[in-house]
Amino acid sequence: MGRVQNKIALITGGSRGIGLATARLLASEGATVIITDILVDEGKSVADSIRGKFYALNVGNEHEWQGVIRAVGKEFGKLDILFNNAGIIGFSQKLGPQDPENISLKAWQYVHKINLDGAFLGCKYGISLMKDQGGSIINMSSRSGIVGIPGASAYASSKAAIRNHTKSVALYCAENGYNIRCNSLHPGAILTPLWDPMLGNTESERQEMITTISSTIPLGHMGEPMDVAYAVLYLGSEESKYITGIELTIDGGILAGSSASPKKHSSCKG
Ligand code: NAP
């Protein structure tokens, strides 16, 4: 038996990157996977390849969420796993500077609309479909939801709010006896298309940037989408049935310490 056999799983932003890897893994472990995304052609072909389902869904649009949840309820009668994964930094969308001094109100609100409103709407409508039979909601935060990111301040703020909202959802569902667990993921430096705008314009620039970033990661390399997909598999399965309201860091050790920590010198005694 697969680890999520016969479960119905919905993934937002499932057409590429972490969402795509997770869709493939959950399907290989027995789930029926519903992929949603704004990238329609890519999403449809992924869904076909795993015998899943695709719905176009802009996570910031409440009306579209209502339609997707209604359709899933009608077709499957339940939802077991909801991975609120879709998110943007704001660089690809050409929203202008993202630092606290120069970011526009419009850009700030847009990033929050997709990241935070998207996760909020997913939880709100996910609860409505899950509350009779129970389920697992996994919200995509980031290491940036735990520490400040000067050059991507709206992203960091939105991810911090997702981290907190996850705990409110977890406690609310527990209080109401819904048997819905809700946890947040905090990846750092996972090599996906999200990074493309930050890795230069040529292959050699890209390799140079990846080497530079890797040198700041305790494990010495960037993560891959499957590193996060396995965490979703665990939190979506019954193996994690006693786990709710946690934040799971997947970052090669970045958040374990500080680069400003004192180094041990051979001249130091004791
Ligand atoms: P990705 O490769 O850019 O994939 C994200 C997917 O979400 C894309 O298909 C994207 O479509 C889609 N999307 C964007 N806006 C959407 C919207 N409004 N509604 C629905 N779908 C939308 O990114 P990723 O690296 O896999 O990241 C997935 C999640 O992990 C994000 O929430 C990100 O913040 C988080 N995360 C990533 C890392 C990392 O290092 N990669 C670290 C921490 C957290 P388009 O291509 O059209 O935008």
Side-chain angles (χ1 to χ4, degrees):
M1 292 287 277
R3 292 169 64 188
V4 285
Q5 195 72 36
N6 299 327
K7 289 189 185 290
I8 307 296
L10 190 153
I11 300 175
T12 67
S15 295
R16 66 177 205 184
I18 294 167
L20 166 62
T22 305
R24 288 186 175 142
L25 182 62
L26 294 184
S28 74
E29 290 289 342
T32 298
V33 179
I34 300 153
I35 291 178
T36 68
D37 206 298
I38 50 173
L39 285 180
V40 175
D41 291 342
E42 294 86 337
K44 279 183 179 162
S45 90
V46 178
D48 286 348
S49 71
I50 57 170
R51 294 197 196 151
K53 191 99 193 160
F54 175 81
Y55 293 108
L57 170 65
N58 178 341
V59 291
N61 184 317
E62 182 167 22
H63 183 68
E64 290 184 14
W65 264 112
Q66 289 166 333
V68 167
I69 290 294
R70 207 179 306 120
V72 173
K74 204 169 164 198
E75 178 154 3
F76 300 101
K78 66 167 187 169
L79 179 62
D80 301 298
I81 301 169
L82 170 60
F83 183 22
N84 284 315
N85 165 68
I88 58 169
I89 297 182
F91 295 155
S92 305
Q93 293 72 20
K94 308 216 181 321
L95 298 172
Q98 298 288 313
D99 66 85
E101 183 179 8
N102 296 299
I103 187 170
S104 66
L105 179 61
K106 199 172 161 198
W108 175 267
Q109 289 174 337
Y110 185 75
V111 172
H112 281 81
K113 182 177 173 61
I114 304 305
N115 294 354
L116 178 57
D117 295 4
F120 152 73
L121 290 169
C123 291
K124 177 175 166 64
Y125 290 104
I127 290 170
S128 70
L129 188 50
M130 286 178 160
K131 66 182 178 185
D132 290 336
Q133 305 185 53
S136 172
I137 300 175
I138 299 139
N139 289 332
M140 181 58 97
S141 178
S142 171
R143 89 178 173 98
S144 314
I146 296 176
V147 296
I149 306 289
S153 59
Y155 180 74
S157 164
S158 66
K159 293 294 186 181
I162 291 171
R163 174 195 189 200
N164 188 280
H165 189 58
T166 298
K167 297 177 201 308
S168 296
V169 171
L171 295 177
Y172 172 81
C173 291
E175 269 172 17
N176 285 280
Y178 287 167
N179 194 26
I180 299 173
R181 298 179 293 106
C182 186
N183 297 291
S184 60
L185 297 182
H186 300 264
I190 309 296
L191 192 52
T192 68
L194 186 85
W195 278 85
D196 288 348
M198 298 173 268
L199 297 178
N201 299 314
T202 64
E203 188 49 33
S204 68
E205 276 175 13
R206 182 180 172 89
Q207 289 313 321
E208 207 175 304
M209 282 303 295
I210 290 174
T211 304
T212 306
I213 293 163
S214 298
S215 70
T216 67
I217 300 171
L219 287 184
H221 58 87
M222 294 182 76
E224 52 191 53
M226 285 301 282
D227 294 325
V228 184
Y230 277 113
V232 180
L233 174 61
Y234 172 62
L235 289 173
S237 77
E238 297 308 307
E239 296 158 16
S240 59
K241 64 183 170 46
Y242 196 50
I243 293 180
T244 196
I246 66 153
E247 41 198 80
L248 180 52
T249 299
I250 309 157
D251 70 347
I254 299 171
L255 286 174
S258 162
S259 59
S261 63
K263 299 268 181 285
K264 189 176 178 189
H265 292 293
S266 53
S267 58
C268 288
K269 302 255 186 313

